[in-house]
Amino acid sequence: MSVSFPPGFLWGTATAAYQIEGAVREGGRTPSIWDTFSHTPGKVENGDTGDVAVDHFHRRADDVRLMSGLGVNAYRFSVSWPRVQPTGRGPAVQRGLDFYRALVDELLDHGITPVLTLYHWDLPQELETAGGWPERDTAYRFADYARIVAEALGDRVDRWTTLNEPWCSAFLGYASGVHAPGRTDPVAALRAAHHLNLGHGLAAQALRTALPARGQVSVSINPSAVRARTDTEADLDARRRIDALANRVFTDPMLHGAYPADLLSDTEHLTDWSFVHGDDPAVIRHPLDSLGINYYAPSVVSAATDSDLPPERNDGHDGTRSPWPGADGVAFHQAPGDVTDMGWPVDPTGLYDLLMRYTREAPGLPLVITENGAAYPDKPGYDGTVHDPERIRYLHGHLSAVHRAMADGADVRGYFLWSLLDNFEWAYGYGKRFGAVYVDYDTQARVPKSSARWYAELARTGVLPDC
Ligand code: FCB
């Protein structure tokens, strides 16, 4: 049976600055932590970097036309902090702001709603050199930068997102070290999580002050749909611990104004959390206009037994250190079923569960799926076309789950396919293709895959057909 989404639903695609822009030395841009990290041997597959990426900085207008051809009505992109405020302090660089102003104007000319993310992981390197997210000052620097961008673009951008996936910034960046800046210090990761939260709250305040009344403020998290392998007490406790470190460390202060007591006691052998100052939780709990949810796959955990992987490998990632401070006795397991090219299980019920969880936890707060999608090893056929039926199946399954959640009461306002284009997939380099549009990295030619056509039809009609 086909199902319909309501009129006004946002059908978008998503990207991030470092993954697509290239032009890393142009217009006064200074290096971000991802420039430094990707240029460090051994950190990114194949030695790939974002130096050129998909050259979106120079192909911006063509890429907006491409999007318009796909019929999407929204586009989620991120602003590169070191492009608009080199080194992360002081005045903005006009050329950097001009790039985003031109992008936004072209989107608006094509009837595409811009959805702007301020921070998708590209911290100016100078701020990392000064201590990075584990230092409190970074949160204040982030709020300054938010004000600069809001003052420049607030007249034409209504939808603002502070952070993308603070979990990845804090725990992959500072604990497992598989993301920039590549540190492996569990206490630094907990400090980073708090200062990302604080930066979110301060930036949200700065946005409210700088934006016109119609401006909307959000944050995009990547909550984990975490399941216990069995319902033994030990496995349920493993789930509780990972839920605290994956989800509640962000959503409890953001939605409820306090850190979870169990998180503080689970990590008390590492830190006393004295880096949380008295008013911080109140600052972090800034009323939001929507909550962005990025979802790819669920996680399955248990209490570790002797036959499980050693704790340092117990992270569900390729890193050598765990991204989970204080969760040494927890083991991760592959969920059953098909996997994507990332090795991530395909399981839309995780998305359904998360939408229902936040519907219960934050009644009245609209939800937006700000990322969902899958990597497959797409290749052009003999005639140059790219067929990706697995991606269509993945999207269909997840959109069916979204529809089911909406029928069960979730107030979901939009869906953003990750990603518009194949691009630089962080530590995996260019080896993993998430795009609805194929990119030939030698020529930068763009070829819409069959999923792009399928998605265009969905965006046009709002009707999800039978698969
Ligand atoms: C998310 C990131 C996004 C992209 C997808 C595959 O965690 O936000 O940039 O890499 O994963």
Side-chain angles (χ1 to χ4, degrees):
M1 212 184 60
S2 65
V3 296
S4 299
F5 286 80
F9 195 79
L10 292 176
W11 294 105
T13 58
T15 62
Y18 189 71
Q19 294 180 276
I20 63 165
E21 286 182 1
V24 294
R25 285 175 209 88
E26 286 184 43
R29 181 187 180 281
T30 53
S32 75
I33 53 175
W34 269 97
D35 295 273
T36 310
F37 189 77
S38 65
H39 280 271
T40 307
K43 298 296 187 192
V44 174
E45 290 283 314
N46 199 36
D48 289 343
T49 73
D51 287 5
V52 177
V54 296
D55 198 31
H56 171 73
F57 188 75
H58 299 117
R59 292 165 195 263
R60 184 197 70 226
D62 287 344
D63 286 342
V64 173
R65 276 192 286 275
L66 178 66
M67 256 185 270
S68 169
L70 296 183
V72 293
N73 60 23
Y75 176 51
R76 173 174 181 251
F77 63 97
S78 80
V79 172
S80 160
W81 186 348
R83 198 182 287 293
V84 308
Q85 194 191 28
T87 79
R89 297 172 197 277
V93 159
Q94 196 54 44
R95 261 194 75 185
L97 289 172
D98 288 348
F99 171 78
Y100 296 104
R101 185 184 296 263
L103 171 65
V104 166
D105 286 348
E106 285 156 4
L107 291 168
L108 294 172
D109 284 349
H110 285 89
I112 300 172
T113 300
V115 178
L116 185 155
T117 300
L118 286 163
Y119 186 72
H120 201 127
W121 307 353
D122 43 3
L123 185 71
Q125 177 59 45
E126 294 215 9
L127 294 185
E128 172 58 24
T129 306
W133 286 110
E135 290 307 316
R136 191 174 175 87
D137 186 56
T138 305
Y140 292 92
R141 300 283 67 74
F142 180 59
D144 261 9
Y145 154 70
R147 179 187 47 76
I148 287 174
V149 184
E151 284 172 357
L153 299 177
D155 59 341
R156 56 200 76 196
V157 175
D158 291 346
R159 291 171 180 270
W160 294 74
T161 304
T162 55
L163 304 172
N164 176 71
E165 301 189 359
W167 184 84
C168 295
S169 297
F171 296 107
L172 300 183
Y174 292 94
S176 74
V178 298
H179 277 192
R183 286 207 244 162
T184 52
D185 173 351
V187 178
L190 294 170
R191 293 174 62 100
H194 174 61
H195 296 131
L196 283 152
N197 280 332
L198 181 62
H200 158 75
L202 293 167
Q205 279 179 355
L207 291 175
R208 291 279 181 225
T209 310
L211 293 177
R214 63 175 188 277
Q216 299 187 23
V217 178
S218 186
V219 60
S220 286
I221 56 171
N222 58 320
S224 181
V226 49
R227 285 149 185 189
R229 184 162 62 165
T230 72
D231 56 11
T232 60
E233 209 175 297
D235 288 357
L236 292 173
D237 195 55
R239 182 179 71 183
R240 177 195 62 70
R241 289 166 71 184
I242 296 304
D243 181 51
L245 282 164
N247 303 327
R248 290 182 283 120
V249 62
F250 301 107
T251 51
D252 273 20
M254 285 179 185
L255 302 175
H256 312 303
Y259 280 98
D262 60 333
L263 171 71
L264 304 187
S265 60
D266 286 349
T267 55
E268 69 190 1
H269 58 295
L270 296 171
T271 172
D272 61 4
W273 289 75
S274 54
F275 46 82
V276 180
H277 296 185
D279 285 346
D280 292 357
V283 172
I284 297 166
R285 186 197 192 180
H286 184 96
L288 298 173
D289 296 300
S290 64
L291 179 66
I293 293 185
N294 296 357
Y295 174 81
Y296 292 92
S299 313
V300 178
V301 300
S302 72
T305 60
D306 290 348
S307 60
D308 288 317
L309 290 172
E312 68 274 14
R313 293 281 315 286
N314 245 335
D315 56 11
H317 293 270
D318 293 341
T320 51
R321 303 287 175 89
S322 167
W324 305 107
D328 293 348
V330 177
F332 281 78
H333 308 276
Q334 185 74 19
D338 293 345
V339 294
T340 68
D341 198 28
M342 301 295 282
W344 297 346
V346 178
D347 185 349
T349 63
L351 179 55
Y352 173 86
D353 291 348
L354 289 169
L355 293 173
M356 297 315 293
R357 172 182 181 161
Y358 293 109
T359 296
R360 283 189 300 273
E361 198 176 318
L365 182 63
L367 305 174
V368 177
I369 292 131
T370 40
E371 284 183 28
N372 178 238
Y376 288 105
D378 310 303
K379 280 197 200 67
Y382 66 93
D383 60 351
T385 59
V386 184
H387 291 294
D388 56 344
E390 307 93 330
R391 183 171 290 101
I392 294 177
R393 260 198 305 283
Y394 180 98
L395 298 174
H396 187 279
H398 286 76
L399 280 157
S400 302
V402 174
H403 193 273
R404 190 157 64 87
M406 290 168 77
D408 291 346
D411 181 8
V412 183
R413 303 290 177 91
Y415 176 93
F416 289 77
L417 191 167
W418 183 273
S419 181
L420 171 65
L421 301 157
D422 291 338
N423 61 46
F424 176 79
E425 180 45 39
W426 309 113
Y428 296 91
Y430 296 98
K432 303 293 180 200
R433 293 181 176 272
F434 273 93
V437 175
Y438 181 87
V439 177
D440 177 332
Y441 293 119
D442 293 330
T443 63
Q444 297 290 354
R446 275 88 161 125
V447 181
K449 304 176 190 177
S450 36
S451 61
R453 276 186 281 278
W454 179 86
Y455 191 64
E457 183 63 9
L458 175 58
R460 193 179 65 77
T461 60
V463 176
L464 183 67
D466 264 345
C467 209

